[in-house]
């Protein structure tokens, strides 16, 4: 496995000089800035307009959303009810289960169906706690103030995730219908529970590191860890409820016929009724900083200890769009990850690089490349959704239809439209079946993975 690491470097004499001679903001500078601002009458108009509303609404370019109506030449035949992750970071789970339910709805002739995101969420929290504690043990001889240990301590049970992480959960635990394990306050409002578990895990980290320093054996350390995990399990059951071991799935189909399947385990429900082999799904990323047609992973990124971890194949953006378009035109959805906060007009449900006219208000336009935004921390994958349509003109995609998980009051009845230019700039990941990819892309999975450092933007978790 190839490992990419940041090269530690001593502070240069240039750096020391610049810190020791730091330039300060002076009263003269402020006076000049104010004079220049007040001399331009356009600034007063900008202030009157923008101070009363968000940038996206005040500076929204009308021509942008008129040019990109929510009409698509290719769209999935089924529009299931929009889901709502509410005040939680479970988008990656919602997006995956929203894809899985479509095949079930077609096979069983259902008008609506929702799979239990809380069920997957429960086991993700438990597995992440175990993953964290195992990594605490693996780094127990490293400096607690070092970058790796501090990174691990930062957010050990983050709600977010990567696609390979939900595959690991589904393959181990399965899934159930939503009515068998519904929402609680803490699934929909996870912040308080997350904070409690995180504080307790940090206490556990200190205890495990201290025990390791005292010379406790690996088995003694792991026995302590199992007791710690039991406490996390208790918090989860109290907050979310105990996940069912057997469920009954009963429903009326579109023909008003009643069906009932009793005594199904969650894993059996996943294998026998969902019927999607998620192990065949491949995560493609577009990371222009790094070589294409290479396999990548991220150090310390995962949740289920025995799973293969997160792996990506890096492809150019035009290939990514071509593969996604073909799948949608064949009538199937595509899971994808993007930086959803960039150039979004929420009220119009539009994501477009030309949608917000910053230059008219501030006299500058943002011009970094995708690679530069990744390198300098200005962008990363923040959210996962589902592509359900594409509009083709002259054999090229112009705009894409998106099913979100923010409820039907968001966007246009729960859907968004993103332009093809926005796709190029802010979409970082899609997930496709191996059969939808050229063999040369699938063969990349046989390579040794290039391991990126844990803080790399390709390790960002969709929330």
């Amino acid at each position: 496995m190839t490992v990419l690491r940041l090269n530690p470097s001593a502070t240069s004499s240039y750096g020391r000089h610049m810190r020791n001679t730091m330039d300060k903001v002076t009263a003269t500078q402020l006076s000049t800035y104010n004079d220049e601002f007040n001399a331009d009458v356009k600034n007063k108009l900008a202030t009157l307009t923008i101070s009363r509303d968000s940038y996206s609404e005040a500076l929204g370019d009308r021509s942008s959303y008129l040019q990109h109506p929510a009409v698509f030449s290719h769209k999935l035949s089924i529009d299931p009810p929009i889901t709502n992750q509410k005040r939680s970071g479970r988008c990656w789970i919602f997006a995956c289960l929203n894809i899985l339910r479509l095949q079930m709805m077609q096979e069983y002739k259902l008008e609506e169906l929702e799979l239990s995101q809380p069920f997957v969420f429960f086991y993700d929290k438990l597995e992440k706690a175990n993953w964290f504690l195992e990594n605490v043990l693996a780094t127990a001889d490293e400096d607690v103030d070092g970058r790796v240990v501090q990174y691990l301590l930062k957010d050990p049970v983050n709600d977010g995730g990567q696609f390979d992480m939900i595959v690991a959960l589904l393959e181990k635990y399965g899934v159930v219908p939503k009515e068998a394990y519904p929402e609680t306050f803490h699934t929909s409002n996870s912040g308080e529970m997350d904070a409690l578990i995180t504080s307790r895990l940090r206490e556990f980290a200190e205890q495990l590191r201290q025990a390791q320093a005292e010379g406790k054996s690996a088995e003694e350390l792991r026995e302590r860890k199992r007791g710690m995990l039991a406490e996390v399990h208790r918090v989860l059951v109290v907050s979310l409820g105990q996940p069912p071991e057997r469920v009954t799935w009963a429903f009326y189909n579109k023909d008003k016929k009643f069906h009932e399947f009793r005594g199904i385990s969650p894993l059996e429900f996943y294998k026998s009724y969902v019927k999607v082999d998620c192990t065949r799904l491949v995560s493609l990323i577009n990371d222009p900083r790094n070589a294409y047609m290479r396999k990548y992973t991220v150090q310390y990124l995962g949740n289920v200890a025995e799973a293969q971890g997160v792996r990506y194949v890096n492809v150019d953006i035009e290939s990514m769009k071509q593969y996604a378009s073909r799948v949608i035109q064949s009538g199937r959805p595509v899971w994808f990850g993007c930086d959803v906060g960039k150039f979004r007009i929420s009220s119009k449900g539009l994501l477009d690089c030309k949608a917000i006219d910053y230059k008219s208000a501030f006299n500058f336009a943002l011009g970094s490349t995708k690679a530069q935004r990744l390198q300098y921390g200005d962008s990363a994958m923040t959210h996962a959704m589902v592509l359900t349509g594409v509009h083709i003109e002259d054999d090229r995609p112009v705009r894409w239809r998106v099913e979100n998980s923010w409820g039907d009051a968001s966007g246009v009845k729960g859907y968004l439209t993103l332009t093809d230019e926005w796709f190029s700039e802010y979409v970082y990941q899609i997930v496709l079946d191996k059969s939808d990819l050229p063999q040369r892309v699938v063969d990349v999975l046989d390579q040794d993975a290039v391991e990126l450092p844990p803080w790399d933007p390709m390790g960002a978790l969709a929330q």
Side-chain angles (χ1 to χ4, degrees):
M1 178 179 287
T2 306
V3 180
L4 294 184
R5 299 187 187 279
L6 296 179
N7 293 323
S9 59
T11 303
S12 66
S13 58
Y14 169 80
R16 289 194 297 271
H17 169 75
M18 293 304 289
R19 283 205 304 274
N20 292 335
T21 60
M22 192 173 289
D23 194 23
K24 64 182 179 180
V25 178
T26 67
T28 301
Q29 279 179 281
L30 286 173
S31 179
T32 301
Y33 296 158
N34 286 328
D35 289 344
E36 290 174 349
F37 181 88
N38 293 327
D40 189 344
V41 69
K42 188 184 75 171
N43 289 331
K44 182 175 182 180
L45 178 61
T47 301
L48 291 172
T49 302
I50 295 167
S51 62
R52 300 175 184 180
D53 210 338
S54 68
Y55 292 161
S56 62
E57 294 300 325
L59 301 177
D61 190 333
R62 185 170 183 266
S63 64
S64 179
Y65 50 82
L66 290 178
Q67 184 182 350
H68 299 288
V71 179
F72 304 87
S73 58
H74 302 274
K75 185 174 78 71
L76 301 192
S77 59
I78 297 179
D79 276 344
I82 290 293
T83 54
N84 194 343
Q85 68 187 79
K86 298 185 180 178
R87 299 184 65 180
S88 72
R90 299 175 290 164
C91 66
W92 58 295
I93 299 174
F94 274 73
C96 178
L97 297 187
N98 285 346
I99 287 177
L100 297 185
R101 68 176 173 168
L102 286 175
Q103 182 167 316
M104 297 178 70
M105 291 177 70
Q106 291 174 327
E107 180 171 350
Y108 294 100
K109 299 180 179 179
L110 301 174
E111 292 184 343
E112 60 182 46
L113 172 67
E114 194 167 351
L115 300 175
S116 177
Q117 307 90 1
F119 181 88
V120 179
F121 187 62
F122 179 100
Y123 287 112
D124 179 59
K125 291 297 181 188
L126 186 66
E127 291 285 354
K128 277 178 178 166
N130 183 64
W131 180 269
F132 168 74
L133 294 172
E134 282 294 318
N135 282 318
V136 167
L137 293 175
T139 58
D141 57 351
E142 295 190 23
D143 184 357
V144 70
D145 292 320
R147 188 172 186 183
V148 169
V149 176
Q150 285 299 308
Y151 180 85
L152 294 174
L153 291 169
K154 183 179 179 182
D155 201 1
V157 287
N158 189 321
D159 281 1
Q162 275 284 345
F163 191 83
D164 283 350
M165 293 163 67
I166 192 172
V167 173
L169 294 166
L170 292 170
E171 290 292 315
K172 183 171 181 177
Y173 295 104
V175 71
V176 298
K178 185 80 172 258
E179 56 267 26
Y181 193 69
E183 302 281 347
T184 70
F185 176 86
H186 293 286
T187 59
S188 300
N189 303 268
S190 56
E192 192 175 29
M193 181 186 73
D194 288 352
L196 176 62
I197 294 174
T198 296
S199 292
R200 193 62 175 140
L201 286 174
R202 288 170 180 156
E203 291 182 342
F204 291 155
E206 190 279 329
Q207 294 168 20
L208 288 174
R209 288 176 62 87
Q210 182 62 35
Q212 189 271 346
E214 293 170 356
K216 302 297 182 183
S217 69
E219 184 50 43
E220 287 178 303
L221 292 171
R222 285 221 159 90
E223 187 60 33
R224 289 193 185 189
K225 184 214 72 172
R226 294 179 193 115
M228 295 169 176
L229 204 58
E231 288 195 21
V232 175
H233 178 268
R234 185 180 305 116
V235 173
L236 292 172
V237 173
V238 169
S239 304
L240 310 182
Q242 194 157 2
E245 296 181 2
R246 297 277 171 181
V247 300
T248 295
W249 184 34
F251 58 88
Y252 290 97
N253 66 13
K254 292 180 180 179
D255 301 325
K256 308 304 180 185
K257 292 183 178 179
F258 177 74
H259 295 268
E260 184 177 50
F261 304 95
R262 301 181 64 84
I264 315 166
S265 74
L267 199 56
E268 181 186 358
F269 182 80
Y270 168 62
K271 297 289 186 179
S272 300
Y273 297 92
V274 177
K275 295 182 181 177
V276 176
D277 184 0
C278 290
T279 63
R280 289 186 50 81
L281 301 177
V282 180
S283 286
L284 304 180
I285 58 170
N286 175 244
D287 179 3
R289 303 169 306 156
N290 290 312
Y292 295 134
M293 297 302 289
R294 292 293 306 273
K295 178 182 173 182
Y296 293 89
T297 188
V298 179
Q299 191 179 26
Y300 299 113
L301 180 61
N303 55 354
V304 178
E306 65 269 31
Q308 67 178 0
V310 173
R311 57 181 185 167
Y312 312 118
V313 176
N314 194 21
V315 298
D316 66 273
I317 195 64
E318 292 304 318
S319 294
M320 178 180 280
K321 290 191 286 188
Q322 182 183 53
Y323 304 150
S325 178
R326 286 177 183 169
V327 170
I328 293 169
Q329 291 183 59
S330 74
R332 291 171 293 140
V334 175
W335 188 103
F336 79 106
C338 65
D339 190 352
V340 74
K342 300 294 189 181
F343 293 96
R344 183 179 86 241
I345 301 182
S346 299
S347 63
K348 304 298 181 182
L350 180 64
L351 297 157
D352 178 19
C353 297
K354 298 181 177 68
I356 305 174
D357 185 6
Y358 291 115
K359 190 169 184 178
S360 292
F362 303 112
N363 294 334
F364 68 82
L366 298 172
S368 297
T369 66
K370 192 173 190 177
Q372 289 168 339
R373 289 191 295 270
L374 286 167
Q375 191 72 55
Y376 282 85
D378 188 53
S379 185
M381 186 184 73
T382 60
H383 190 54
M385 298 179 284
V386 181
L387 294 170
T388 64
V390 61
H391 187 70
I392 304 294
E393 292 181 3
D394 299 324
D395 297 323
R396 292 186 60 82
V398 175
R399 56 183 175 269
W400 304 75
R401 184 177 189 250
V402 177
E403 178 189 353
N404 201 359
S405 56
W406 290 346
D408 57 14
S410 173
V412 179
K413 298 181 179 179
Y415 288 88
L416 303 174
T417 297
L418 63 88
T419 64
D420 194 62
E421 181 186 9
W422 195 94
F423 190 122
S424 295
E425 295 298 325
Y426 296 107
V427 170
Y428 291 104
Q429 183 178 0
I430 66 171
V431 174
L432 300 177
D433 190 275
K434 290 179 180 179
S435 63
D436 296 315
L437 298 170
Q439 189 58 45
R440 62 185 178 85
V441 176
V442 177
D443 289 344
V444 174
L445 293 171
D446 295 328
Q447 296 179 4
D448 289 337
V450 176
E451 187 176 63
L452 301 169
W455 43 82
D456 189 272
M458 288 301 112
L461 301 180
Q463 301 183 57

